Amino acid sequence: MSGATSSVSIVTQTTIRPESADAFARWQVDTSAVVAAFPGFIEQQLIPPRPPLQVDWVIVQRFHSLEQAKTWMASPERQARIQGATPMLVGRDDVHIVKDDAGAARTSPVSAVISTRVKPGMEAAYLRWEQKIAAAQSRAPGMQGYRFEPAVPGVQEDYVAILRFDSEANLRTWMDSPERRALVAEAAPMTAEFHTRTVQSGFEQWFRNVAPPGEGAPAAWKMNMIVVLTLYPTVFLWGVLVGAPILAGMLKVDFPVALFIGNVFSVLLTSLMVPWTAKRLGWWLTPDPARRTRVNLQGAALLIAAYGLMILVFWKLF
């Protein structure tokens, strides 16, 4: 088992113009026929929007290996299909490569946020260039996904691309690669401004020691639930026991200053409480794959019950 190659899924989230929903569904059927001919393809699942909980279309394409998935992502056939769907799209285009098991090395995810101001009249050319560099970066080692946010006149003047890599080293390798430098130089005549910043992922630092060796960070929604579990009582008790009676009441501290002090205290305490809590919920954060669905539901129900209990206790006592 340890030497087996794990399958991967390409998960694409995209927002479609309401009037184009039927056309997009037909387009996806044709795209399914194209991707099915690629080596390593296993299956495709199309998940239509279910407002208000899910407003995007979600397409999941499974391949036997990461390299085969990247071959499809970088292929001219896929780029041609995307080009045909462009008039139907609106807003974000979010693509992630996800391993179907937890066999990846545990590294610290990192993102690069790239904002670009495009010269007037060059928008169409820039979008074609964006598809070109997206295909190139999909082949980069450690690349886990990307999101592309087009400009919205009057709201967001910049085009924003977010690249997600499994480690800072792999991100830096791609950012400094001759291939990317050549592509960036190619886009220079189309761009007026260009900014890049690196962002470490959010809560993973508090969960690094939870998963067994060789497994990735827990699912983001689980980490978020644990952060809420520890943050809510911290913020509430600080407010009713310290913030209101002492800082605001006795010391007459101005609200902005009192809020800042409370935030600092909450972050410091949460940074201690989250790892402690995560260790005790390790059975839920990294469950046995054979029991994952059942354990996920049990853990989520437990935390939701804990939320309700805290709200009830605080409501009755304070």
Side-chain angles (χ1 to χ4, degrees):
M1 292 292 293
S2 60
T5 301
S6 61
S7 61
V8 300
S9 295
I10 302 172
V11 182
T12 303
Q13 292 177 260
T14 189
T15 304
I16 305 300
R17 299 181 186 277
E19 66 274 15
S20 300
D22 291 340
F24 180 77
R26 292 192 297 270
W27 173 89
Q28 191 59 53
V29 170
D30 294 338
T31 301
S32 300
V34 175
V35 67
F38 271 68
F41 176 76
I42 300 174
E43 63 178 354
Q44 174 171 290
Q45 181 181 11
L46 178 64
I47 306 173
R50 295 184 178 89
L53 297 179
Q54 176 194 323
V55 297
D56 293 340
W57 289 74
V58 179
I59 304 100
V60 181
Q61 298 166 325
R62 292 187 63 220
F63 286 82
H64 283 296
S65 72
L66 178 61
E67 290 306 315
Q68 290 168 332
K70 287 187 173 183
T71 297
W72 160 246
M73 288 190 67
S75 68
E77 291 88 344
R78 180 176 180 272
Q79 302 312 309
R81 296 302 304 166
I82 292 175
Q83 186 69 33
T86 299
M88 296 182 275
L89 307 183
V90 60
R92 70 186 184 189
D93 186 10
D94 196 353
V95 181
H96 298 280
I97 302 177
V98 181
K99 291 201 173 185
D100 292 338
D101 66 12
R106 292 183 65 212
T107 51
S108 179
V110 63
S111 299
V113 181
I114 304 170
S115 58
T116 305
R117 185 71 56 89
V118 177
K119 293 179 180 179
M122 303 297 293
E123 292 83 2
Y126 180 79
L127 289 175
R128 290 192 295 270
W129 174 86
E130 175 62 33
Q131 293 176 3
K132 185 177 180 180
I133 195 172
Q137 69 199 13
S138 69
R139 299 188 295 267
M143 206 278 192
Q144 293 187 333
Y146 73 92
R147 172 181 294 180
F148 178 64
E149 299 277 359
V152 180
V155 178
Q156 173 187 299
E157 300 301 327
D158 290 349
Y159 290 76
V160 179
I162 303 174
L163 315 182
R164 189 169 186 270
F165 279 76
D166 62 357
S167 69
E168 187 171 359
N170 280 333
L171 171 62
R172 183 52 51 197
T173 297
W174 164 246
M175 297 293 284
D176 294 339
S177 67
E179 182 179 14
R180 182 180 181 276
R181 290 181 183 275
L183 287 167
V184 171
E186 182 181 320
M190 297 178 276
T191 59
E193 295 182 30
F194 181 84
H195 304 284
T196 302
R197 63 186 179 92
T198 301
V199 182
Q200 291 287 345
S201 57
F203 300 135
E204 282 89 347
Q205 59 181 329
W206 292 337
F207 294 84
R208 286 176 179 168
N209 298 321
V210 175
E215 294 197 6
W221 66 274
K222 293 183 178 181
M223 293 190 287
N224 292 339
M225 288 189 73
I226 289 181
V227 171
V228 171
L229 180 70
T230 59
L231 186 61
Y232 171 64
T234 301
V235 172
F236 182 89
L237 293 174
W238 171 270
V240 299
L241 299 179
V242 179
I246 298 177
L247 295 182
M250 295 174 56
L251 302 179
K252 307 298 182 184
V253 176
D254 290 338
F255 176 74
V257 178
L259 181 62
F260 175 78
I261 296 173
N263 286 342
V264 171
F265 173 81
S266 298
V267 170
L268 291 176
L269 188 58
T270 301
S271 68
L272 299 175
M273 293 177 62
V274 168
W276 183 89
T277 305
K279 285 184 179 180
R280 281 142 188 85
L281 291 174
W283 58 271
W284 176 60
L285 289 171
T286 56
D288 183 342
R291 302 172 56 245
R292 179 174 290 128
T293 300
R294 180 179 178 182
V295 172
N296 284 348
L297 293 174
Q298 290 174 337
L302 177 63
L303 265 67
I304 291 172
Y307 297 158
L309 180 61
M310 286 190 295
I311 293 172
L312 179 62
V313 170
F314 292 156
W315 182 32
K316 294 295 185 181
L317 293 181
F318 299 97

PDB file of all heavy atoms in Angstrom, residues 134-148:
ATOM      1  N   ALA A 134      -1.979  29.625 -16.769  1.00  0.00           N
ATOM      2  CA  ALA A 134      -2.655  28.653 -15.905  1.00  0.00           C
ATOM      3  C   ALA A 134      -2.298  27.234 -16.318  1.00  0.00           C
ATOM      4  O   ALA A 134      -2.081  26.356 -15.470  1.00  0.00           O
ATOM      5  CB  ALA A 134      -4.165  28.866 -15.955  1.00  0.00           C
ATOM      6  N   ALA A 135      -2.222  27.003 -17.624  1.00  0.00           N
ATOM      7  CA  ALA A 135      -1.832  25.677 -18.110  1.00  0.00           C
ATOM      8  C   ALA A 135      -0.392  25.364 -17.733  1.00  0.00           C
ATOM      9  O   ALA A 135      -0.070  24.238 -17.337  1.00  0.00           O
ATOM     10  CB  ALA A 135      -2.013  25.607 -19.622  1.00  0.00           C
ATOM     11  N   ALA A 136       0.479  26.361 -17.815  1.00  0.00           N
ATOM     12  CA  ALA A 136       1.888  26.138 -17.489  1.00  0.00           C
ATOM     13  C   ALA A 136       2.081  25.861 -16.005  1.00  0.00           C
ATOM     14  O   ALA A 136       2.799  24.931 -15.616  1.00  0.00           O
ATOM     15  CB  ALA A 136       2.713  27.353 -17.918  1.00  0.00           C
ATOM     16  N   GLN A 137       1.428  26.639 -15.153  1.00  0.00           N
ATOM     17  CA  GLN A 137       1.643  26.471 -13.718  1.00  0.00           C
ATOM     18  C   GLN A 137       0.997  25.190 -13.186  1.00  0.00           C
ATOM     19  O   GLN A 137       1.386  24.686 -12.127  1.00  0.00           O
ATOM     20  CB  GLN A 137       1.114  27.682 -12.954  1.00  0.00           C
ATOM     21  CG  GLN A 137      -0.389  27.835 -12.962  1.00  0.00           C
ATOM     22  CD  GLN A 137      -0.828  29.246 -12.609  1.00  0.00           C
ATOM     23  OE1 GLN A 137      -0.024  30.172 -12.583  1.00  0.00           O
ATOM     24  NE2 GLN A 137      -2.108  29.422 -12.333  1.00  0.00           N
ATOM     25  N   SER A 138       0.044  24.637 -13.925  1.00  0.00           N
ATOM     26  CA  SER A 138      -0.567  23.382 -13.483  1.00  0.00           C
ATOM     27  C   SER A 138       0.437  22.235 -13.495  1.00  0.00           C
ATOM     28  O   SER A 138       0.227  21.216 -12.841  1.00  0.00           O
ATOM     29  CB  SER A 138      -1.764  23.038 -14.369  1.00  0.00           C
ATOM     30  OG  SER A 138      -1.343  22.683 -15.680  1.00  0.00           O
ATOM     31  N   ARG A 139       1.539  22.401 -14.233  1.00  0.00           N
ATOM     32  CA  ARG A 139       2.575  21.372 -14.282  1.00  0.00           C
ATOM     33  C   ARG A 139       3.625  21.548 -13.195  1.00  0.00           C
ATOM     34  O   ARG A 139       4.507  20.699 -13.037  1.00  0.00           O
ATOM     35  CB  ARG A 139       3.261  21.395 -15.655  1.00  0.00           C
ATOM     36  CG  ARG A 139       2.337  21.115 -16.829  1.00  0.00           C
ATOM     37  CD  ARG A 139       3.126  20.970 -18.126  1.00  0.00           C
ATOM     38  NE  ARG A 139       3.781  22.221 -18.515  1.00  0.00           N
ATOM     39  CZ  ARG A 139       3.254  23.117 -19.334  1.00  0.00           C
ATOM     40  NH1 ARG A 139       2.047  22.912 -19.849  1.00  0.00           N
ATOM     41  NH2 ARG A 139       3.912  24.217 -19.652  1.00  0.00           N
ATOM     42  N   ALA A 140       3.566  22.645 -12.449  1.00  0.00           N
ATOM     43  CA  ALA A 140       4.595  22.937 -11.455  1.00  0.00           C
ATOM     44  C   ALA A 140       4.498  21.975 -10.268  1.00  0.00           C
ATOM     45  O   ALA A 140       3.401  21.694  -9.782  1.00  0.00           O
ATOM     46  CB  ALA A 140       4.454  24.376 -10.966  1.00  0.00           C
ATOM     47  N   PRO A 141       5.621  21.456  -9.780  1.00  0.00           N
ATOM     48  CA  PRO A 141       5.605  20.564  -8.611  1.00  0.00           C
ATOM     49  C   PRO A 141       4.985  21.254  -7.397  1.00  0.00           C
ATOM     50  O   PRO A 141       5.295  22.410  -7.103  1.00  0.00           O
ATOM     51  CB  PRO A 141       7.090  20.264  -8.375  1.00  0.00           C
ATOM     52  CG  PRO A 141       7.742  20.489  -9.703  1.00  0.00           C
ATOM     53  CD  PRO A 141       6.982  21.614 -10.337  1.00  0.00           C
ATOM     54  N   GLY A 142       4.112  20.544  -6.706  1.00  0.00           N
ATOM     55  CA  GLY A 142       3.506  21.071  -5.487  1.00  0.00           C
ATOM     56  C   GLY A 142       2.309  21.957  -5.700  1.00  0.00           C
ATOM     57  O   GLY A 142       1.691  22.413  -4.739  1.00  0.00           O
ATOM     58  N   MET A 143       1.937  22.207  -6.948  1.00  0.00           N
ATOM     59  CA  MET A 143       0.800  23.070  -7.224  1.00  0.00           C
ATOM     60  C   MET A 143      -0.493  22.374  -6.801  1.00  0.00           C
ATOM     61  O   MET A 143      -0.782  21.269  -7.230  1.00  0.00           O
ATOM     62  CB  MET A 143       0.763  23.394  -8.722  1.00  0.00           C
ATOM     63  CG  MET A 143       0.081  24.707  -9.061  1.00  0.00           C
ATOM     64  SD  MET A 143      -1.681  24.584  -9.131  1.00  0.00           S
ATOM     65  CE  MET A 143      -2.100  26.135  -9.877  1.00  0.00           C
ATOM     66  N   GLN A 144      -1.281  23.019  -5.930  1.00  0.00           N
ATOM     67  CA  GLN A 144      -2.501  22.413  -5.403  1.00  0.00           C
ATOM     68  C   GLN A 144      -3.773  23.030  -5.965  1.00  0.00           C
ATOM     69  O   GLN A 144      -4.839  22.438  -5.874  1.00  0.00           O
ATOM     70  CB  GLN A 144      -2.522  22.521  -3.871  1.00  0.00           C
ATOM     71  CG  GLN A 144      -1.451  21.692  -3.188  1.00  0.00           C
ATOM     72  CD  GLN A 144      -1.595  21.694  -1.687  1.00  0.00           C
ATOM     73  OE1 GLN A 144      -2.134  22.633  -1.098  1.00  0.00           O
ATOM     74  NE2 GLN A 144      -1.116  20.651  -1.039  1.00  0.00           N
ATOM     75  N   GLY A 145      -3.683  24.202  -6.531  1.00  0.00           N
ATOM     76  CA  GLY A 145      -4.885  24.800  -7.097  1.00  0.00           C
ATOM     77  C   GLY A 145      -4.685  26.281  -7.360  1.00  0.00           C
ATOM     78  O   GLY A 145      -3.681  26.876  -6.965  1.00  0.00           O
ATOM     79  N   TYR A 146      -5.635  26.855  -8.066  1.00  0.00           N
ATOM     80  CA  TYR A 146      -5.568  28.285  -8.321  1.00  0.00           C
ATOM     81  C   TYR A 146      -6.973  28.851  -8.420  1.00  0.00           C
ATOM     82  O   TYR A 146      -7.948  28.139  -8.674  1.00  0.00           O
ATOM     83  CB  TYR A 146      -4.774  28.588  -9.596  1.00  0.00           C
ATOM     84  CG  TYR A 146      -5.503  28.250 -10.878  1.00  0.00           C
ATOM     85  CD1 TYR A 146      -6.276  29.205 -11.542  1.00  0.00           C
ATOM     86  CD2 TYR A 146      -5.424  26.982 -11.432  1.00  0.00           C
ATOM     87  CE1 TYR A 146      -6.944  28.892 -12.710  1.00  0.00           C
ATOM     88  CE2 TYR A 146      -6.088  26.660 -12.598  1.00  0.00           C
ATOM     89  CZ  TYR A 146      -6.850  27.622 -13.236  1.00  0.00           C
ATOM     90  OH  TYR A 146      -7.517  27.303 -14.390  1.00  0.00           O
ATOM     91  N   ARG A 147      -7.058  30.132  -8.197  1.00  0.00           N
ATOM     92  CA  ARG A 147      -8.320  30.859  -8.351  1.00  0.00           C
ATOM     93  C   ARG A 147      -8.035  32.113  -9.156  1.00  0.00           C
ATOM     94  O   ARG A 147      -7.033  32.787  -8.926  1.00  0.00           O
ATOM     95  CB  ARG A 147      -8.904  31.233  -6.993  1.00  0.00           C
ATOM     96  CG  ARG A 147     -10.119  32.166  -7.089  1.00  0.00           C
ATOM     97  CD  ARG A 147     -10.666  32.556  -5.739  1.00  0.00           C
ATOM     98  NE  ARG A 147     -11.223  31.407  -5.057  1.00  0.00           N
ATOM     99  CZ  ARG A 147     -11.775  31.457  -3.853  1.00  0.00           C
ATOM    100  NH1 ARG A 147     -11.828  32.589  -3.201  1.00  0.00           N
ATOM    101  NH2 ARG A 147     -12.262  30.375  -3.299  1.00  0.00           N
ATOM    102  N   PHE A 148      -8.914  32.394 -10.085  1.00  0.00           N
ATOM    103  CA  PHE A 148      -8.754  33.587 -10.910  1.00  0.00           C
ATOM    104  C   PHE A 148      -9.994  34.454 -10.766  1.00  0.00           C
ATOM    105  O   PHE A 148     -11.112  34.000 -11.001  1.00  0.00           O
ATOM    106  CB  PHE A 148      -8.542  33.208 -12.377  1.00  0.00           C
ATOM    107  CG  PHE A 148      -8.411  34.399 -13.289  1.00  0.00           C
ATOM    108  CD1 PHE A 148      -7.355  35.276 -13.151  1.00  0.00           C
ATOM    109  CD2 PHE A 148      -9.358  34.645 -14.276  1.00  0.00           C
ATOM    110  CE1 PHE A 148      -7.232  36.380 -13.979  1.00  0.00           C
ATOM    111  CE2 PHE A 148      -9.246  35.740 -15.109  1.00  0.00           C
ATOM    112  CZ  PHE A 148      -8.176  36.611 -14.964  1.00  0.00           C
TER     113      PHE A 148
END
